[in-house]
Amino acid sequence: MKINWKVPSNWNKFFVGPVFLVLGMLAVSLFMLFVDVKSGLILLMFSLVILYVLYETYKRYGVQIEKQFVLFGANYAQVQRRLIHDMAIPYAIADVQGELLWMNQAFLAATEASRKKRKSIPELFEEISADFFAEESPEIEKYVRYGAKTYRVLLNKVMLDSIVEQQDGLPSHNEWVYAVYLFDETQMVLYKNKVEEEELIAGLIYLDNYDEVLESIDEMRRSVSMALLERHITKYIQDFGGIVKKLDSDKYLILIKKKDLT
């Protein structure tokens, strides 16, 4: 988002075409003098008048055009700076060590960092250590917790002069910095965790030596033992909020939410 304060040097090229056209007309008028003096003089005078008008137009309005370019650049820089400052997305600039150099209002409100006592990224977010900056990675993306919110922090390594015009507190010379963006993904993470918690886990329960145990039980008590065993299994799974389906005498299908297993 760099602002170019220089007046464009090629704006006056718009006058080049008409000037070459008039020069061509002058050449034709000189040729016409040898063919028809009267027609040649008329064309010559007409060409000189056009050339004079072009010269006066450039002389009179050229300075005004340059002033308008400068005024537009100044106004655009102010608007751009204000837009960045009032941007809804928390945005800041940090040096290659993670020290905050500048931040907009949204970043200030999200992190409660003081402009007078600027903090560093590692101090604000424990999940991002100084080792991240030591690696000099061109891009860092990390999920962090700050207070009750979860943020996705995106840091892009860029040349300072390529993103912003001189701001208060920023170095005046070219150097590498990190553009810091905060994206509030608290609700997204919350919903993602809810979906994961509500995920159903399927399982099978097998009863080892089921037939041998039944044979060792008296036939009169066998049906009661089977009912008690099935009841215990069902109650145990239902205590976890699960569902039990008997597939065979010694095999049960169970469905339990993931959150109930932790």
Side-chain angles (χ1 to χ4, degrees):
M1 299 181 183
K2 178 185 176 183
I3 299 296
N4 187 5
W5 292 97
K6 297 181 179 179
V7 177
S9 59
N10 58 349
W11 71 268
N12 50 14
K13 290 183 179 179
F14 292 104
F15 289 93
V16 174
V19 169
F20 276 111
L21 179 61
V22 174
L23 293 177
M25 293 175 61
L26 287 173
V28 173
S29 64
L30 293 176
F31 176 77
M32 287 293 296
L33 288 174
F34 295 99
V35 179
D36 187 343
V37 176
K38 185 177 180 180
S39 299
L41 288 175
I42 293 174
L43 183 59
L44 179 62
M45 293 300 297
F46 183 71
S47 301
L48 291 175
V49 169
I50 295 177
L51 186 62
Y52 176 76
V53 171
L54 288 174
Y55 171 75
E56 287 296 325
T57 302
Y58 179 80
K59 181 180 178 181
R60 177 174 299 183
Y61 297 105
V63 176
Q64 295 183 17
I65 293 174
E66 291 184 357
K67 288 182 179 179
Q68 289 299 321
F69 273 121
V70 174
L71 181 61
F72 173 79
N75 292 335
Y76 182 75
Q78 294 297 325
V79 172
Q80 182 191 47
R81 179 174 179 177
R82 193 66 186 176
L83 288 174
I84 296 175
H85 188 267
D86 297 338
M87 187 168 54
I89 298 176
Y91 174 78
I93 298 175
D95 62 15
V96 290
Q97 283 77 40
E99 295 291 333
L100 287 172
L101 304 175
W102 180 88
M103 67 193 76
N104 66 358
Q105 287 287 354
F107 194 96
L108 181 65
T111 61
E112 301 175 353
S114 172
R115 291 187 185 277
K116 295 181 179 179
K117 188 179 180 181
R118 295 186 174 95
K119 297 182 179 180
S120 66
I121 296 299
E123 288 178 352
L124 287 175
F125 310 114
E126 296 179 356
E127 294 85 348
I128 302 179
S129 64
D131 296 336
F132 284 93
F133 299 94
E135 296 175 0
E136 297 185 355
S137 174
E139 182 174 302
I140 299 174
E141 186 175 17
K142 190 78 173 178
Y143 281 87
V144 300
R145 291 280 299 177
Y146 191 86
K149 292 184 177 292
T150 301
Y151 292 101
R152 178 168 62 91
V153 181
L154 180 63
L155 299 98
N156 287 327
K157 189 176 182 182
V158 293
M159 182 66 72
L160 174 62
D161 192 44
S162 67
I163 59 170
V164 68
E165 193 67 20
Q166 183 67 25
Q167 303 277 1
D168 296 336
L170 293 182
S172 58
H173 55 280
N174 293 338
E175 64 177 31
W176 289 100
V177 295
Y178 281 99
V180 186
Y181 302 87
L182 294 184
F183 300 96
D184 188 354
E185 299 196 359
T186 305
Q187 292 296 326
M188 184 179 294
V189 173
L190 178 63
Y191 295 147
K192 182 180 178 181
N193 292 336
K194 280 186 173 294
V195 170
E196 291 181 355
E197 290 176 354
E198 295 296 324
E199 182 182 355
L200 290 177
I201 304 299
L204 290 173
I205 296 179
Y206 290 93
L207 302 179
D208 292 336
N209 303 322
Y210 179 78
D211 294 332
E212 289 81 352
V213 173
L214 284 182
E215 291 178 358
S216 64
I217 300 175
D218 184 81
E219 189 174 350
M220 298 281 299
R221 301 170 54 191
R222 188 174 299 173
S223 59
V224 177
S225 300
M226 292 172 60
L228 288 174
L229 177 61
E230 184 175 345
R231 179 182 176 184
H232 281 299
I233 293 175
T234 302
K235 185 178 183 305
Y236 180 78
I237 299 301
Q238 288 179 346
D239 288 341
F240 287 94
I243 301 173
V244 183
K245 174 66 176 179
K246 186 176 182 180
L247 301 178
D248 203 347
S249 58
D250 60 346
K251 183 166 61 176
Y252 295 83
L253 173 66
I254 62 173
L255 294 175
I256 302 178
K257 292 181 180 179
K258 188 175 182 179
K259 66 177 182 179
D260 295 325
L261 292 177
T262 57

